[in-house]
Amino acid sequence: MPLNPKKKIMKKIYMIAASLLVSSATILASAQAIQLSSVESRWGKTLVCNGEKTTTMGGRLVKATDGNLYMVADAGTKEASNIITFGDEKIADGSDYGGTSYNHNFILSKITQNGDLIWTISSTSGEVASNEEWGVATADGGIVVACKARHTQGHLDKPINFIDAKGNNTTLNWHIAQGTKRKNNGLVMKISSEGVIEWTKLLDIDDKPQPEAGTHYKDHTPTAVMVYGLTTDSEGNIYVSGRMMAKMTIDKGDGSTVTIEPHNVEGWDGDIQKTVGNAYIVKLDPQGNYITHFVSGGKATNDAIRTMTIKDGKLYCLAMVKGIAGTAVSMGDKSVTPEGNFSSMGVVCMNTDLKTVERFNLYESKLKGSIVNVPCMKITDDNIWLMGQAKYEIKAGNKELKTEHTRDALLLKTDRETGALITGTVKQKNQTAYFDVFEDESHNLYAGTFALFGPLAIEKIDKETLEVTDRVDLFPTTATAQNLVVDGNHLFAMSRIKGDNLTSLPAGSPFTVTAKGFACLVSAYTLPFKTATAVTPVESEKIVLRVEYVNLQGMVSSTPFNGMNVVVTHYSDGSRKVVKEMK
């Protein structure tokens, strides 16, 4: 006897459910058997000058919303005749430099996930300086970049100039005080997905000599701003952060300007290596116009906002604070009083209007020296992960982590809601660092790590104990590593390397590169699992691109059907959310 329509539907549902259970069991069994030794090499290319060297003190890979990658870096050249290459392909000319060291040229290349070059923007004069978060993808497929920039020493008659992917020149003509030898400003730029510079905005810094300046700085202030952090919100507003030591002037949309005053600079003689200054965040609209700003308060030797991430509508900031024992440091109306006079890592959570700080947690160093080199922060659903290179020891509440070395890999797990330090680990192996984390679909944690002139590696980390349960070495030798980008089962890494005939370590399609001096390496690998897109190291809050409705017959529409709909939401980071809804 044939089944009635209702029973047919129920039988179909049972069959689907059984199939899902079997698939889940298969996936679970497969996941348990996955080993990082199954990672495979795909390709690797170096960014070098004349086949020898780029300084690449910093750089960043950014996943574009169209699925391609942006490579942002500085390339060291001395002459305009120098050739900058990516792999075997010339991408830019160098620029003249009057000093003995290397000029820092701006390089922004868009590449495919197979490493093919799409276009490049480069500077032909002036310098840029590395920071923590060079670029952030925008919903329209473009990118916003931020950095510190200056006229090349000895070439104040040559303003900073960029050539975009269409051959257009963009020249930055900014005010230079009489007698100044060089001028540093913060720079923010918006670039389209086609490689056109849409606008540039300056964080214009007062370059007048400091009152306490000695002989070396009597006629100029060489560097009075550091640009570190960069992120955007779902409305396209831009947040830039760092450390400031002199007045900063920014344009508003109505043609007027606003000036931000520094503090904690008493007695400063203009030397950037002196620990003075305070943290700042500047919020700009999508066209780069000033909206509002935030500065730290209280008394400290110096403090800075190094990285920023927006999660669930809140702005999370990684702060580095060199405090004064017994003296309060404040972020908004939240204050912390350090026990000692040393550098410490902290996390600030605030509203995106920059007016309300919800909490400020400081993880204090108790011994002399910097607590963390190359500091980094990543956020998952429940935790904030803090990384870098630990020096000596840190304390948070009743928890202490110690190391006898000055450059040991540090990983801290804190509670995202309270900021409490849950646990942490310091790898007792000198000259190492953790620099990035990501999760797979089962929410297992993986960390990027490197050792100075040792391997670039991925480690699987137990989220409760922070013990390493698996590891794969990706590349044999690194100087530093900047960041990772994960997309599905593809992993991309940016690092600095040096050496001849260096061959990637995983199986698959090993590649060999040579770097006679320090060079930037962009490398790609295939993972034996898929990553959890929701906690992939993203550069900004993801944005809804489109919503599709699918009925039981498989028809697709931008509006819901009557009856049962499968709703597919597509986000700017490439992820999707699928739910069922009845209309």
Side-chain angles (χ1 to χ4, degrees):
M1 182 177 179
L3 294 173
N4 62 43
K6 183 178 290 188
K7 288 185 177 181
K8 282 184 178 180
I9 293 173
M10 292 301 296
K11 182 178 180 181
K12 187 174 183 179
I13 291 173
Y14 289 145
M15 291 176 65
I16 293 172
S19 176
L20 289 173
L21 287 172
V22 171
S23 297
S24 298
T26 302
I27 292 171
L28 181 60
S30 175
Q32 291 173 341
I34 288 174
Q35 299 293 324
L36 283 176
S37 58
S38 301
V39 171
E40 296 184 349
S41 297
R42 291 183 57 210
W43 57 265
K45 293 186 177 183
T46 54
L47 175 69
V48 296
C49 172
N50 289 346
E52 295 182 1
K53 178 174 182 177
T54 59
T55 53
T56 47
M57 299 303 293
R60 194 162 186 87
L61 286 178
V62 178
K63 187 175 72 173
T65 53
D66 61 9
N68 292 300
L69 299 173
Y70 288 111
M71 174 184 69
V72 196
D74 57 6
T77 65
K78 288 186 176 181
E79 300 175 354
S81 61
N82 290 160
I83 296 174
I84 301 169
T85 57
F86 179 59
D88 296 327
E89 191 168 358
K90 174 186 173 181
I91 62 173
D93 293 317
S95 63
D96 292 328
Y97 183 53
T100 56
S101 61
Y102 282 78
N103 188 48
H104 294 259
N105 300 101
F106 176 83
I107 296 292
L108 169 60
S109 293
K110 189 174 186 179
I111 60 177
T112 69
Q113 291 200 9
N114 291 323
D116 299 321
L117 182 69
I118 301 175
W119 51 253
T120 294
I121 294 174
S122 64
S123 58
T124 59
S125 61
E127 284 196 306
V128 297
S130 58
N131 56 11
E132 310 292 341
E133 296 177 311
W134 280 90
V136 54
T138 54
D140 61 3
I143 185 172
V144 172
V145 297
C147 60
K148 179 165 64 73
R150 77 175 193 189
H151 286 68
T152 304
Q153 179 79 359
H155 290 277
L156 294 183
D157 59 327
K158 295 181 180 179
I160 297 177
N161 185 72
F162 301 90
I163 297 180
D164 68 18
K166 304 297 184 181
N168 304 310
N169 286 277
T170 298
T171 302
L172 306 181
N173 292 302
W174 57 41
H175 169 74
I176 303 174
Q178 184 68 32
T180 293
K181 291 183 178 179
R182 57 187 179 188
K183 174 69 181 287
N184 290 271
N185 276 328
L187 172 64
V188 186
M189 293 195 297
K190 170 64 169 64
I191 293 97
S192 74
S193 61
E194 290 78 30
V196 174
I197 297 176
E198 297 181 351
W199 53 257
T200 63
K201 296 292 180 177
L202 296 179
L203 309 181
D204 195 0
I205 302 300
D206 184 359
D207 60 348
K208 294 183 180 65
Q210 298 303 305
E212 304 296 326
T215 302
H216 187 58
Y217 302 110
K218 65 181 180 180
D219 54 4
H220 71 293
T221 298
T223 302
V225 64
M226 301 302 291
V227 179
Y228 291 129
L230 177 67
T231 193
T232 59
D233 61 26
S234 58
E235 297 178 350
N237 298 311
I238 302 160
Y239 304 75
V240 184
S241 70
R243 175 165 66 107
M244 60 184 297
M245 288 75 77
K247 293 180 181 179
M248 177 189 297
T249 301
I250 311 169
D251 291 336
K252 300 174 72 174
D254 60 4
S256 62
T257 62
V258 63
T259 298
I260 306 173
E261 296 279 349
H263 62 90
N264 294 333
V265 293
E266 294 80 4
W268 185 44
D269 65 0
D271 186 350
I272 185 58
Q273 298 183 56
K274 298 291 180 64
T275 52
V276 301
N278 60 271
Y280 73 86
I281 304 173
V282 173
K283 182 177 180 179
L284 309 174
D285 69 18
Q287 287 72 47
N289 299 309
Y290 171 88
I291 297 177
T292 187
H293 71 274
F294 171 89
V295 295
S296 57
K299 188 70 174 176
T301 305
N302 79 280
D303 48 66
I305 299 296
R306 299 296 293 262
T307 65
M308 298 179 292
T309 299
I310 293 178
K311 179 78 172 178
D312 298 332
K314 299 295 182 182
L315 181 66
Y316 294 86
C317 309
L318 170 59
M320 295 298 296
V321 177
K322 186 173 176 59
I324 300 173
T327 304
V329 179
S330 63
M331 297 287 177
D333 62 353
K334 302 296 187 296
S335 296
V336 175
T337 301
E339 296 180 15
N341 302 323
F342 315 118
S343 294
S344 301
M345 176 184 283
V347 173
V348 186
C349 175
M350 67 176 73
N351 291 345
T352 55
D353 61 7
L354 306 188
K355 298 183 183 302
T356 302
V357 174
E358 295 194 351
R359 60 176 178 82
F360 171 34
N361 300 92
L362 194 67
Y363 311 99
E364 186 177 359
S365 175
K366 297 172 61 182
L367 297 178
K368 185 176 180 180
S370 175
I371 175 181
V372 173
N373 296 290
V374 293
C376 182
M377 174 184 71
K378 294 293 178 181
I379 299 179
T380 58
D381 289 339
D382 299 318
N383 302 116
I384 298 176
W385 302 91
L386 305 176
M387 294 156 279
Q389 288 179 326
K391 187 172 184 178
Y392 303 127
E393 69 178 6
I394 65 172
K395 176 184 177 183
N398 296 322
K399 296 180 181 291
E400 294 186 3
L401 295 170
K402 299 182 179 181
T403 173
E404 296 178 358
H405 304 131
T406 61
R407 297 288 188 275
D408 282 342
L410 170 71
L411 180 63
L412 299 181
K413 177 183 178 182
T414 72
D415 184 271
R416 185 160 76 91
E417 294 300 322
T418 66
L421 177 62
I422 300 172
T423 187
T425 184
V426 176
K427 183 184 295 182
Q428 294 292 330
K429 200 170 187 178
N430 203 14
Q431 302 295 328
T432 60
Y434 285 115
F435 67 94
D436 215 335
V437 296
F438 62 92
E439 291 185 344
D440 64 21
E441 288 184 319
S442 300
H443 296 287
N444 296 305
L445 184 72
Y446 300 85
T449 182
F450 70 86
L452 182 63
F453 299 116
L456 170 70
I458 299 296
E459 293 180 346
K460 187 176 182 180
I461 307 288
D462 184 289
K463 293 171 75 171
E464 300 302 320
T465 65
L466 301 192
E467 293 181 355
V468 177
T469 61
D470 198 4
R471 175 185 167 105
V472 62
D473 290 347
L474 303 176
F475 200 77
T477 180
T478 54
T480 57
Q482 277 69 47
N483 76 307
L484 302 172
V485 168
V486 290
D487 187 16
N489 67 336
H490 289 163
L491 179 135
F492 307 89
M494 175 175 275
S495 58
R496 294 175 69 216
I497 63 170
K498 182 180 181 181
D500 294 328
N501 298 317
L502 302 172
T503 302
S504 59
L505 299 174
S509 302
F511 56 86
T512 299
V513 295
T514 291
K516 296 178 181 179
F518 290 109
C520 177
L521 171 69
V522 178
S523 53
Y525 309 88
T526 300
L527 300 169
F529 53 80
K530 288 187 177 181
T531 55
T533 306
V535 293
T536 295
V538 295
E539 321 310 327
S540 64
E541 194 82 339
K542 61 185 180 182
I543 301 168
V544 175
L545 295 180
R546 68 183 187 279
V547 178
E548 297 174 333
Y549 299 87
V550 185
N551 64 14
L552 295 179
Q553 287 73 44
M555 297 175 64
V556 181
S557 173
S558 60
T559 58
F561 296 94
N562 290 325
M564 181 64 71
N565 287 265
V566 176
V567 185
V568 184
T569 305
H570 298 261
Y571 294 97
S572 57
D573 64 355
S575 64
R576 297 184 305 167
K577 181 174 72 173
V578 180
V579 297
K580 289 184 178 180
E581 289 184 2
M582 177 70 75
K583 183 184 177 183

